[in-house]
PDB file of all heavy atoms in Angstrom:
ATOM      1  N   GLU A  26      72.918  58.567  76.097  1.00  0.00           N
ATOM      2  CA  GLU A  26      72.588  59.897  75.574  1.00  0.00           C
ATOM      3  C   GLU A  26      73.859  60.640  75.167  1.00  0.00           C
ATOM      4  O   GLU A  26      74.842  60.660  75.889  1.00  0.00           O
ATOM      5  CB  GLU A  26      71.855  60.691  76.657  1.00  0.00           C
ATOM      6  CG  GLU A  26      71.475  62.087  76.234  1.00  0.00           C
ATOM      7  CD  GLU A  26      70.853  62.878  77.380  1.00  0.00           C
ATOM      8  OE1 GLU A  26      70.433  62.268  78.377  1.00  0.00           O
ATOM      9  OE2 GLU A  26      70.810  64.090  77.273  1.00  0.00           O
ATOM     10  N   THR A  27      73.817  61.273  73.993  1.00  0.00           N
ATOM     11  CA  THR A  27      74.930  62.080  73.531  1.00  0.00           C
ATOM     12  C   THR A  27      74.682  63.515  73.967  1.00  0.00           C
ATOM     13  O   THR A  27      73.621  64.074  73.697  1.00  0.00           O
ATOM     14  CB  THR A  27      75.053  62.011  72.000  1.00  0.00           C
ATOM     15  OG1 THR A  27      75.204  60.655  71.620  1.00  0.00           O
ATOM     16  CG2 THR A  27      76.228  62.829  71.513  1.00  0.00           C
ATOM     17  N   LYS A  28      75.645  64.098  74.632  1.00  0.00           N
ATOM     18  CA  LYS A  28      75.504  65.471  75.115  1.00  0.00           C
ATOM     19  C   LYS A  28      76.277  66.410  74.215  1.00  0.00           C
ATOM     20  O   LYS A  28      77.363  66.081  73.747  1.00  0.00           O
ATOM     21  CB  LYS A  28      76.031  65.604  76.545  1.00  0.00           C
ATOM     22  CG  LYS A  28      75.213  64.863  77.554  1.00  0.00           C
ATOM     23  CD  LYS A  28      75.720  65.154  78.943  1.00  0.00           C
ATOM     24  CE  LYS A  28      74.844  64.475  79.963  1.00  0.00           C
ATOM     25  NZ  LYS A  28      75.238  64.795  81.330  1.00  0.00           N
ATOM     26  N   ASN A  29      75.718  67.576  74.020  1.00  0.00           N
ATOM     27  CA  ASN A  29      76.400  68.621  73.274  1.00  0.00           C
ATOM     28  C   ASN A  29      77.063  69.538  74.302  1.00  0.00           C
ATOM     29  O   ASN A  29      76.470  70.501  74.776  1.00  0.00           O
ATOM     30  CB  ASN A  29      75.414  69.397  72.400  1.00  0.00           C
ATOM     31  CG  ASN A  29      76.105  70.402  71.514  1.00  0.00           C
ATOM     32  OD1 ASN A  29      77.184  70.895  71.844  1.00  0.00           O
ATOM     33  ND2 ASN A  29      75.492  70.727  70.404  1.00  0.00           N
ATOM     34  N   ASN A  35      77.939  77.027  76.338  1.00  0.00           N
ATOM     35  CA  ASN A  35      77.540  78.329  75.795  1.00  0.00           C
ATOM     36  C   ASN A  35      76.302  78.871  76.493  1.00  0.00           C
ATOM     37  O   ASN A  35      76.198  80.081  76.731  1.00  0.00           O
ATOM     38  CB  ASN A  35      77.333  78.246  74.286  1.00  0.00           C
ATOM     39  CG  ASN A  35      78.643  78.153  73.534  1.00  0.00           C
ATOM     40  OD1 ASN A  35      79.682  78.583  74.021  1.00  0.00           O
ATOM     41  ND2 ASN A  35      78.602  77.569  72.346  1.00  0.00           N
ATOM     42  N   GLN A  36      75.354  78.004  76.832  1.00  0.00           N
ATOM     43  CA  GLN A  36      74.169  78.443  77.572  1.00  0.00           C
ATOM     44  C   GLN A  36      74.565  78.951  78.963  1.00  0.00           C
ATOM     45  O   GLN A  36      74.079  79.986  79.418  1.00  0.00           O
ATOM     46  CB  GLN A  36      73.162  77.300  77.691  1.00  0.00           C
ATOM     47  CG  GLN A  36      72.463  76.976  76.397  1.00  0.00           C
ATOM     48  CD  GLN A  36      71.613  75.722  76.496  1.00  0.00           C
ATOM     49  OE1 GLN A  36      71.766  74.921  77.416  1.00  0.00           O
ATOM     50  NE2 GLN A  36      70.702  75.564  75.549  1.00  0.00           N
ATOM     51  N   LYS A  38      77.487  80.116  79.851  1.00  0.00           N
ATOM     52  CA  LYS A  38      78.241  81.361  79.697  1.00  0.00           C
ATOM     53  C   LYS A  38      77.304  82.538  79.429  1.00  0.00           C
ATOM     54  O   LYS A  38      77.473  83.614  79.987  1.00  0.00           O
ATOM     55  CB  LYS A  38      79.243  81.208  78.555  1.00  0.00           C
ATOM     56  CG  LYS A  38      80.206  82.341  78.427  1.00  0.00           C
ATOM     57  CD  LYS A  38      81.247  82.050  77.365  1.00  0.00           C
ATOM     58  CE  LYS A  38      82.122  83.239  77.121  1.00  0.00           C
ATOM     59  NZ  LYS A  38      83.068  83.019  76.031  1.00  0.00           N
ATOM     60  N   ALA A  45      75.850  88.997  85.136  1.00  0.00           N
ATOM     61  CA  ALA A  45      76.900  89.990  85.412  1.00  0.00           C
ATOM     62  C   ALA A  45      76.435  91.384  85.004  1.00  0.00           C
ATOM     63  O   ALA A  45      76.687  92.354  85.723  1.00  0.00           O
ATOM     64  CB  ALA A  45      78.182  89.613  84.679  1.00  0.00           C
ATOM     65  N   GLU A  48      73.955  92.613  87.650  1.00  0.00           N
ATOM     66  CA  GLU A  48      74.637  92.991  88.883  1.00  0.00           C
ATOM     67  C   GLU A  48      75.437  94.277  88.711  1.00  0.00           C
ATOM     68  O   GLU A  48      75.488  95.103  89.622  1.00  0.00           O
ATOM     69  CB  GLU A  48      75.533  91.853  89.355  1.00  0.00           C
ATOM     70  CG  GLU A  48      74.751  90.658  89.850  1.00  0.00           C
ATOM     71  CD  GLU A  48      75.623  89.475  90.229  1.00  0.00           C
ATOM     72  OE1 GLU A  48      76.848  89.658  90.378  1.00  0.00           O
ATOM     73  OE2 GLU A  48      75.072  88.377  90.378  1.00  0.00           O
ATOM     74  N   THR A  50      74.749  96.732  86.667  1.00  0.00           N
ATOM     75  CA  THR A  50      73.789  97.830  86.577  1.00  0.00           C
ATOM     76  C   THR A  50      73.301  98.223  87.959  1.00  0.00           C
ATOM     77  O   THR A  50      73.116  99.397  88.254  1.00  0.00           O
ATOM     78  CB  THR A  50      72.591  97.425  85.690  1.00  0.00           C
ATOM     79  OG1 THR A  50      73.083  97.086  84.401  1.00  0.00           O
ATOM     80  CG2 THR A  50      71.590  98.552  85.561  1.00  0.00           C
ATOM     81  N   ASP A  51      73.127  97.221  88.818  1.00  0.00           N
ATOM     82  CA  ASP A  51      72.620  97.465  90.163  1.00  0.00           C
ATOM     83  C   ASP A  51      73.717  97.858  91.148  1.00  0.00           C
ATOM     84  O   ASP A  51      73.430  98.271  92.261  1.00  0.00           O
ATOM     85  CB  ASP A  51      71.910  96.215  90.693  1.00  0.00           C
ATOM     86  CG  ASP A  51      70.641  95.901  89.920  1.00  0.00           C
ATOM     87  OD1 ASP A  51      70.128  96.800  89.230  1.00  0.00           O
ATOM     88  OD2 ASP A  51      70.166  94.744  90.008  1.00  0.00           O
ATOM     89  N   GLY A  55      78.910 103.770  95.816  1.00  0.00           N
ATOM     90  CA  GLY A  55      79.149 104.343  97.139  1.00  0.00           C
ATOM     91  C   GLY A  55      79.678 105.758  97.069  1.00  0.00           C
ATOM     92  O   GLY A  55      80.395 106.201  97.952  1.00  0.00           O
ATOM     93  N   GLY A  56      79.362 106.473  96.000  1.00  0.00           N
ATOM     94  CA  GLY A  56      79.832 107.840  95.840  1.00  0.00           C
ATOM     95  C   GLY A  56      81.267 107.944  95.352  1.00  0.00           C
ATOM     96  O   GLY A  56      81.819 109.035  95.262  1.00  0.00           O
ATOM     97  N   GLU A  58      84.439 107.626  92.651  1.00  0.00           N
ATOM     98  CA  GLU A  58      84.660 107.850  91.225  1.00  0.00           C
ATOM     99  C   GLU A  58      84.871 106.518  90.512  1.00  0.00           C
ATOM    100  O   GLU A  58      85.221 105.515  91.138  1.00  0.00           O
ATOM    101  CB  GLU A  58      85.888 108.726  90.998  1.00  0.00           C
ATOM    102  CG  GLU A  58      85.699 110.165  91.404  1.00  0.00           C
ATOM    103  CD  GLU A  58      86.955 110.962  91.172  1.00  0.00           C
ATOM    104  OE1 GLU A  58      87.824 110.942  92.064  1.00  0.00           O
ATOM    105  OE2 GLU A  58      87.063 111.597  90.109  1.00  0.00           O
ATOM    106  N   PHE A  60      86.645 104.838  86.750  1.00  0.00           N
ATOM    107  CA  PHE A  60      87.435 105.086  85.554  1.00  0.00           C
ATOM    108  C   PHE A  60      86.536 104.892  84.339  1.00  0.00           C
ATOM    109  O   PHE A  60      85.846 103.881  84.221  1.00  0.00           O
ATOM    110  CB  PHE A  60      88.624 104.130  85.465  1.00  0.00           C
ATOM    111  CG  PHE A  60      89.671 104.347  86.521  1.00  0.00           C
ATOM    112  CD1 PHE A  60      90.363 103.273  87.049  1.00  0.00           C
ATOM    113  CD2 PHE A  60      89.990 105.611  86.989  1.00  0.00           C
ATOM    114  CE1 PHE A  60      91.348 103.457  88.011  1.00  0.00           C
ATOM    115  CE2 PHE A  60      90.961 105.812  87.949  1.00  0.00           C
ATOM    116  CZ  PHE A  60      91.645 104.729  88.463  1.00  0.00           C
ATOM    117  N   VAL A  63      90.944 105.607  79.344  1.00  0.00           N
ATOM    118  CA  VAL A  63      92.367 105.384  79.635  1.00  0.00           C
ATOM    119  C   VAL A  63      93.226 106.020  78.545  1.00  0.00           C
ATOM    120  O   VAL A  63      92.764 106.282  77.445  1.00  0.00           O
ATOM    121  CB  VAL A  63      92.705 103.878  79.733  1.00  0.00           C
ATOM    122  CG1 VAL A  63      91.986 103.239  80.903  1.00  0.00           C
ATOM    123  CG2 VAL A  63      92.397 103.149  78.442  1.00  0.00           C
ATOM    124  N   ARG A  64      94.475 106.267  78.891  1.00  0.00           N
ATOM    125  CA  ARG A  64      95.467 106.701  77.909  1.00  0.00           C
ATOM    126  C   ARG A  64      96.555 105.638  77.895  1.00  0.00           C
ATOM    127  O   ARG A  64      96.999 105.180  78.939  1.00  0.00           O
ATOM    128  CB  ARG A  64      96.049 108.055  78.269  1.00  0.00           C
ATOM    129  CG  ARG A  64      97.107 108.498  77.247  1.00  0.00           C
ATOM    130  CD  ARG A  64      97.451 109.954  77.363  1.00  0.00           C
ATOM    131  NE  ARG A  64      96.276 110.735  76.986  1.00  0.00           N
ATOM    132  CZ  ARG A  64      96.092 112.002  77.342  1.00  0.00           C
ATOM    133  NH1 ARG A  64      96.984 112.636  78.053  1.00  0.00           N
ATOM    134  NH2 ARG A  64      95.012 112.650  76.963  1.00  0.00           N
ATOM    135  N   GLY A  69     101.093 100.147  74.160  1.00  0.00           N
ATOM    136  CA  GLY A  69      99.769  99.680  74.548  1.00  0.00           C
ATOM    137  C   GLY A  69      99.559  99.577  76.045  1.00  0.00           C
ATOM    138  O   GLY A  69      98.537  99.067  76.503  1.00  0.00           O
ATOM    139  N   THR A  76      88.437 109.844  85.104  1.00  0.00           N
ATOM    140  CA  THR A  76      87.321 109.418  85.931  1.00  0.00           C
ATOM    141  C   THR A  76      86.010 110.010  85.415  1.00  0.00           C
ATOM    142  O   THR A  76      86.004 110.915  84.576  1.00  0.00           O
ATOM    143  CB  THR A  76      87.509 109.845  87.406  1.00  0.00           C
ATOM    144  OG1 THR A  76      87.348 111.268  87.504  1.00  0.00           O
ATOM    145  CG2 THR A  76      88.865 109.417  87.950  1.00  0.00           C
ATOM    146  N   ASN A  77      84.927 109.507  85.964  1.00  0.00           N
ATOM    147  CA  ASN A  77      83.606 109.995  85.567  1.00  0.00           C
ATOM    148  C   ASN A  77      83.376 111.440  85.987  1.00  0.00           C
ATOM    149  O   ASN A  77      82.433 112.078  85.519  1.00  0.00           O
ATOM    150  CB  ASN A  77      82.507 109.095  86.122  1.00  0.00           C
ATOM    151  CG  ASN A  77      82.541 108.982  87.631  1.00  0.00           C
ATOM    152  OD1 ASN A  77      83.594 108.978  88.258  1.00  0.00           O
ATOM    153  ND2 ASN A  77      81.372 108.877  88.233  1.00  0.00           N
ATOM    154  N   THR A  78      84.244 111.997  86.828  1.00  0.00           N
ATOM    155  CA  THR A  78      84.122 113.418  87.197  1.00  0.00           C
ATOM    156  C   THR A  78      84.994 114.299  86.319  1.00  0.00           C
ATOM    157  O   THR A  78      85.023 115.512  86.500  1.00  0.00           O
ATOM    158  CB  THR A  78      84.508 113.644  88.678  1.00  0.00           C
ATOM    159  OG1 THR A  78      85.888 113.319  88.852  1.00  0.00           O
ATOM    160  CG2 THR A  78      83.637 112.810  89.611  1.00  0.00           C
ATOM    161  N   GLY A  79      85.741 113.664  85.393  1.00  0.00           N
ATOM    162  CA  GLY A  79      86.586 114.423  84.485  1.00  0.00           C
ATOM    163  C   GLY A  79      88.034 114.545  84.921  1.00  0.00           C
ATOM    164  O   GLY A  79      88.856 115.108  84.194  1.00  0.00           O
ATOM    165  N   LEU A  82      94.182 111.213  85.807  1.00  0.00           N
ATOM    166  CA  LEU A  82      95.171 110.769  86.774  1.00  0.00           C
ATOM    167  C   LEU A  82      96.282 109.988  86.085  1.00  0.00           C
ATOM    168  O   LEU A  82      96.003 109.079  85.305  1.00  0.00           O
ATOM    169  CB  LEU A  82      94.524 109.856  87.817  1.00  0.00           C
ATOM    170  CG  LEU A  82      93.336 110.420  88.599  1.00  0.00           C
ATOM    171  CD1 LEU A  82      92.664 109.319  89.404  1.00  0.00           C
ATOM    172  CD2 LEU A  82      93.804 111.541  89.507  1.00  0.00           C
ATOM    173  N   ALA A  87      96.616 107.373  90.166  1.00  0.00           N
ATOM    174  CA  ALA A  87      95.476 106.457  90.108  1.00  0.00           C
ATOM    175  C   ALA A  87      95.701 105.274  91.041  1.00  0.00           C
ATOM    176  O   ALA A  87      94.768 104.824  91.722  1.00  0.00           O
ATOM    177  CB  ALA A  87      95.266 105.978  88.676  1.00  0.00           C
ATOM    178  N   VAL A 101      93.709  96.452  93.249  1.00  0.00           N
ATOM    179  CA  VAL A 101      95.157  96.615  93.129  1.00  0.00           C
ATOM    180  C   VAL A 101      95.775  95.309  93.591  1.00  0.00           C
ATOM    181  O   VAL A 101      95.425  94.793  94.648  1.00  0.00           O
ATOM    182  CB  VAL A 101      95.675  97.781  93.999  1.00  0.00           C
ATOM    183  CG1 VAL A 101      97.192  97.863  93.929  1.00  0.00           C
ATOM    184  CG2 VAL A 101      95.044  99.093  93.570  1.00  0.00           C
ATOM    185  N   ARG A 107     105.645  94.738  91.387  1.00  0.00           N
ATOM    186  CA  ARG A 107     105.041  96.075  91.474  1.00  0.00           C
ATOM    187  C   ARG A 107     103.540  95.950  91.673  1.00  0.00           C
ATOM    188  O   ARG A 107     102.956  94.893  91.458  1.00  0.00           O
ATOM    189  CB  ARG A 107     105.336  96.882  90.216  1.00  0.00           C
ATOM    190  CG  ARG A 107     104.803  96.235  88.954  1.00  0.00           C
ATOM    191  CD  ARG A 107     105.357  96.898  87.701  1.00  0.00           C
ATOM    192  NE  ARG A 107     105.135  96.048  86.552  1.00  0.00           N
ATOM    193  CZ  ARG A 107     104.319  96.335  85.557  1.00  0.00           C
ATOM    194  NH1 ARG A 107     103.648  97.456  85.550  1.00  0.00           N
ATOM    195  NH2 ARG A 107     104.191  95.514  84.546  1.00  0.00           N
ATOM    196  N   ASP A 108     102.909  97.045  92.068  1.00  0.00           N
ATOM    197  CA  ASP A 108     101.456  97.085  92.205  1.00  0.00           C
ATOM    198  C   ASP A 108     100.837  97.389  90.845  1.00  0.00           C
ATOM    199  O   ASP A 108     101.353  98.219  90.090  1.00  0.00           O
ATOM    200  CB  ASP A 108     101.031  98.149  93.212  1.00  0.00           C
ATOM    201  CG  ASP A 108     101.388  97.765  94.638  1.00  0.00           C
ATOM    202  OD1 ASP A 108     101.443  96.548  94.919  1.00  0.00           O
ATOM    203  OD2 ASP A 108     101.591  98.665  95.465  1.00  0.00           O
ATOM    204  N   PRO A 114      87.119  91.642  88.659  1.00  0.00           N
ATOM    205  CA  PRO A 114      86.662  90.580  87.762  1.00  0.00           C
ATOM    206  C   PRO A 114      85.161  90.359  87.951  1.00  0.00           C
ATOM    207  O   PRO A 114      84.733  89.859  88.979  1.00  0.00           O
ATOM    208  CB  PRO A 114      87.481  89.364  88.201  1.00  0.00           C
ATOM    209  CG  PRO A 114      88.002  89.679  89.550  1.00  0.00           C
ATOM    210  CD  PRO A 114      88.009  91.158  89.702  1.00  0.00           C
ATOM    211  N   ASN A 121      86.427  96.175  81.209  1.00  0.00           N
ATOM    212  CA  ASN A 121      87.841  95.943  81.522  1.00  0.00           C
ATOM    213  C   ASN A 121      88.638  97.181  81.151  1.00  0.00           C
ATOM    214  O   ASN A 121      88.360  97.831  80.137  1.00  0.00           O
ATOM    215  CB  ASN A 121      88.373  94.733  80.774  1.00  0.00           C
ATOM    216  CG  ASN A 121      87.797  93.426  81.289  1.00  0.00           C
ATOM    217  OD1 ASN A 121      87.133  93.384  82.324  1.00  0.00           O
ATOM    218  ND2 ASN A 121      88.046  92.367  80.559  1.00  0.00           N
TER     219      ASN A 121
END
Side-chain angles (χ1 to χ4, degrees):
E26 179 185 343
T27 303
K28 293 185 177 184
N29 185 333
N35 286 335
Q36 288 172 343
K38 188 174 174 184
E48 290 176 15
T50 301
D51 293 342
E58 289 179 275
F60 292 145
V63 296
R64 179 165 294 159
T76 71
N77 58 325
T78 64
L82 304 170
V101 176
R107 60 192 164 113
D108 289 332
N121 290 350

